[in-house]
Amino acid sequence: MAEIDLLGSLPRAKRNIQKRSEGKSAAVIAEARKFGEMYWDGPREYGYGGYRYDGRWRSVARDLISHFGLKPGMRVLDVGCGKGFLVKDLMLECPGLEAFGLDISLYALTHCEREAVGRLHLGSAEKLPFPDRTFDCVLSINTIHNLPRPKVLEALREIQRLSGGRAFVQVDSYRTPEQKEIFESWVLTAEFHDYPDGWLALFRDAGYTGDYYWTIID
Ligand SMILES: C[S@@+](CC[C@H](N)C(=O)[O-])C[C@H]1O[C@@H](n2cnc3c(N)ncnc32)[C@H](O)[C@@H]1O
């Protein structure tokens, strides 16, 4: 189990914290949590503000392939795959790799990249519809914090069950009270978030032995 920044090659997201904070309301949060069209392709107040493939996940795919020693014929699952950008890029970077995804958003799955069609499953992270050890590696990036704590625990157990611990999760976190305050101004969908120590305790409780990293806004 290692703390490792596998998303370090991504460009920094542009965030107007003040605008997000001012535009936030119970109605906006409820809409964002549907993970429908407004979250993906509606105005920025509701989520991504338009999420289109631009190849930015290719360098992340390269780093994941190298870190986990992924080879053609191996099977990878991306839990919270959204529109399948990482699934597509993993297969572009390692032809022959069998990449799959799962997401709760029907909108994302029905607006996915062509290369991912037939590889993406509709479902929720706390109940993954696959036999034990189906995958050589399971990834879940910025997804499981969208569940309440007891279900985050279940999701981690599921990731462990499918991967045997060859896994990577990245979750919302903060290292200082100032970062926590910024995060709370920004957050729309996360139901559980904590300092790294809180997450590490949760990983232990779940028996999760994979790798991990934090999404911290500062
Ligand atoms: C911030 S996006 C991250 C998408 C992608 N992993 C990435 O990093 O670009 C959060 C993702 O979690 C998905 N999601 C939210 N709750 C989920 C759940 N219970 N099970 C599976 N996916 C979920 C959303 O639909 C969305 O695709």
Side-chain angles (χ1 to χ4, degrees):
M1 182 145 131
E3 177 175 316
I4 178 164
D5 181 8
L6 290 170
L7 269 60
S9 66
L10 281 179
R12 263 180 91 90
K14 291 193 189 84
R15 295 184 173 98
N16 184 333
I17 308 282
Q18 196 183 338
K19 191 161 177 229
R20 167 67 63 87
S21 174
E22 286 166 4
K24 252 209 272 189
S25 64
V28 166
I29 289 172
E31 185 60 41
R33 286 186 173 160
K34 293 179 192 164
F35 300 104
E37 182 171 5
M38 290 293 270
Y39 173 76
W40 293 100
D41 294 322
R44 185 73 162 129
E45 300 92 278
Y46 290 86
Y48 279 103
Y51 198 49
R52 280 173 276 282
Y53 181 81
D54 61 6
R56 73 179 53 196
W57 288 92
R58 278 194 80 150
S59 54
V60 174
R62 267 198 297 281
D63 290 344
L64 288 164
I65 288 164
S66 148
H67 178 70
F68 288 107
L70 301 175
K71 302 273 183 297
M74 288 183 168
R75 301 161 71 90
V76 183
L77 178 69
D78 180 15
V79 177
C81 61
K83 294 181 178 182
F85 298 168
L86 182 59
V87 167
K88 167 176 169 167
D89 286 353
L90 285 163
M91 294 188 297
L92 286 176
E93 286 296 327
C94 181
L97 185 68
E98 297 287 348
F100 302 89
L102 176 139
D103 204 283
I104 204 168
S105 169
L106 183 61
Y107 178 84
L109 300 190
T110 53
H111 291 77
C112 75
E113 291 297 296
R114 285 199 164 278
E115 294 82 347
V117 169
R119 293 182 167 273
L120 309 184
H121 299 255
L122 184 63
S124 189
E126 81 277 17
K127 215 170 201 159
L128 299 174
F130 308 99
D132 297 0
R133 301 297 279 260
T134 299
F135 297 96
D136 296 289
C137 178
V138 177
L139 313 166
S140 187
I141 298 173
N142 293 326
T143 295
I144 59 172
H145 50 225
N146 291 313
L147 293 161
R149 193 180 192 283
K151 290 198 170 184
V152 179
L153 196 76
E154 288 175 36
L156 286 163
R157 288 192 176 127
E158 283 290 83
I159 291 168
Q160 183 74 19
R161 179 179 70 79
L162 297 191
S163 68
R166 207 153 168 224
F168 174 71
V169 301
Q170 176 142 339
V171 289
D172 280 341
S173 189
Y174 25 74
R175 294 187 200 275
T176 65
E178 293 74 27
Q179 288 175 343
K180 183 170 192 282
E181 200 178 316
I182 295 171
F183 170 77
E184 283 170 346
S185 306
W186 179 257
V187 65
L188 288 177
T189 60
E191 297 212 35
F192 176 77
H193 44 86
D194 208 337
Y195 289 89
D197 279 355
W199 277 110
L200 291 173
L202 188 51
F203 294 164
R204 270 194 303 276
D205 289 353
Y208 174 72
T209 62
D211 300 332
Y212 52 86
Y213 204 63
W214 323 114
T215 294
I216 295 179
I217 308 173
D218 50 15

